[in-house]
Amino acid sequence: MKNKEIIFIVDFNNRFSSKWASKPYRSGMDKNLLKAEFKKKDYDISFITYQEINFRNKPYFKNKVFFYTSSEDKNLFYKSYVEDIVLGLELVGADVVPPFRYLRAHHNKTFMEILRDVFDLEGVKDVVSMYYGTYEDFKLEVDKLEYPLVLKSAFGATGKTVALAKTKKEALRKARRFSSSRNFFYDLRDFLRGLKHTGYIKQSKNRRKFIAQNFIPHMDRDYKILIFDKKYFFVGNGNSNNCRG
């Protein structure tokens, strides 16, 4: 019987994964070891780069299995590129591991919360999240919310972009900070449009998405919950001075 095939996608540095504790440092997983371990299960694996993928050869991708890893580069520029390729693979019928929706959720708390709302996950529905695309969206609902309230930027990790708002005034101030998208030249052009066009409604200067969550008492810090099949892992973020949600 012919061995089953899996294709691993490596990045521009010929790395699979951003494993830090490797030699050389941050060189990713050992590709020879991967081959050897998968061979024991009758899988043949090969490696390609993202730029080698040719979507015009659609029959090639049908039922092919591709493994990939996300990226944690500054500003997530390369991750955005990986998202484009992985979604393209799904569109041409390839099996990508993990599915695109989980890549979309990486470094994206808004979509993490959407996944939690969409999936039937036992034990994690006590936290209720509201997601906002602008500060103006939040202002429309701020009077309906209960306090204290936990606010989180959609981006960032280790609890650094998490804040506890005990009052409406505090919530507005922190939501404004998390959602700030100010850019001098972009905002100047938008200001000039307002002078030129009567009735023009200016763009929001707070377009970075964020979420608000009900406060869960008696917890010493912000926690993340990692779910693998039916196993749940609780990981504490930051220190006990950070707020909880």
Side-chain angles (χ1 to χ4, degrees), residues 4-230:
K4 294 163 282 188
E5 182 185 9
I6 298 177
I7 303 168
F8 281 67
I9 311 177
V10 296
D11 68 9
F12 57 94
N13 279 325
N14 197 31
R15 298 174 304 190
F16 182 78
S17 92
S18 55
K19 181 182 177 184
W20 292 9
S22 52
K23 294 182 180 180
Y25 177 61
R26 285 193 176 189
S27 58
M29 300 181 73
D30 186 321
K31 294 192 288 295
N32 290 327
L33 183 58
L34 278 173
K35 281 187 174 182
E37 291 300 316
F38 275 83
K39 191 73 172 179
K40 293 177 184 178
K41 301 294 183 180
D42 296 324
Y43 285 97
D44 288 330
I45 72 172
S46 57
F47 297 94
I48 65 169
T49 60
Y50 287 97
Q51 65 267 24
E52 289 180 290
I53 295 172
N54 178 8
F55 288 109
R56 296 192 177 188
N57 185 17
K58 288 189 281 190
Y60 167 79
F61 297 100
K62 193 68 175 178
N63 299 322
K64 285 275 198 313
V65 179
F66 289 82
F67 276 40
Y68 71 94
T69 61
S70 185
S71 174
E72 297 186 335
D73 62 306
K74 179 68 174 174
N75 295 320
L76 304 180
F77 297 135
Y78 191 69
K79 177 181 182 285
S80 176
Y81 171 69
V82 171
E83 286 185 351
D84 294 340
I85 302 299
V86 172
L87 182 55
L89 287 170
E90 283 196 350
L91 291 174
V92 292
D95 293 323
V96 293
V97 182
F100 174 77
R101 58 182 176 268
Y102 300 116
L103 173 62
R104 180 65 181 170
H106 184 221
H107 282 301
N108 183 348
K109 293 187 183 73
T110 299
F111 199 68
M112 288 181 194
E113 296 305 318
I114 291 173
L115 286 180
R116 179 164 56 168
D117 288 343
V118 168
F119 291 157
D120 295 324
L121 300 171
E122 296 181 5
V124 294
K125 296 292 187 178
D126 290 343
V127 176
V128 179
S129 297
M130 292 70 69
Y131 8 91
Y132 302 99
T134 67
Y135 173 72
E136 288 77 9
D137 291 335
F138 180 72
K139 283 179 65 177
L140 293 174
E141 294 193 345
V142 70
D143 290 322
K144 305 175 187 176
L145 303 175
E146 295 184 7
Y147 299 89
L149 182 74
V150 176
L151 293 169
K152 297 182 179 182
S153 169
F155 313 100
T158 68
K160 293 180 180 178
T161 53
V162 182
L164 179 64
K166 297 180 180 179
T167 65
K168 168 186 168 181
K169 182 178 180 181
E170 194 174 8
L172 287 169
R173 177 169 55 82
K174 292 179 177 179
R176 184 189 292 273
R177 173 165 60 88
F178 281 154
S179 62
S180 177
S181 57
R182 288 180 176 274
N183 178 284
F184 177 77
F185 292 106
Y186 181 89
D187 295 340
L188 177 61
R189 285 197 298 269
D190 199 53
F191 173 76
L192 295 175
R193 290 189 196 105
L195 297 179
K196 181 178 180 181
H197 303 284
T198 303
Y200 173 74
I201 300 174
K202 295 184 179 67
Q203 279 277 17
S204 169
K205 296 181 178 64
N206 296 80
R207 301 184 311 280
R208 290 176 67 87
K209 59 189 176 182
F210 64 100
I211 62 175
Q213 294 177 334
N214 58 310
F215 174 69
I216 304 297
H218 311 302
M219 298 183 73
D220 64 345
R221 69 192 67 201
D222 181 60
Y223 285 87
K224 68 172 67 172
I225 303 173
L226 306 178
I227 302 174
F228 296 89
D229 194 16
K230 296 182 180 180

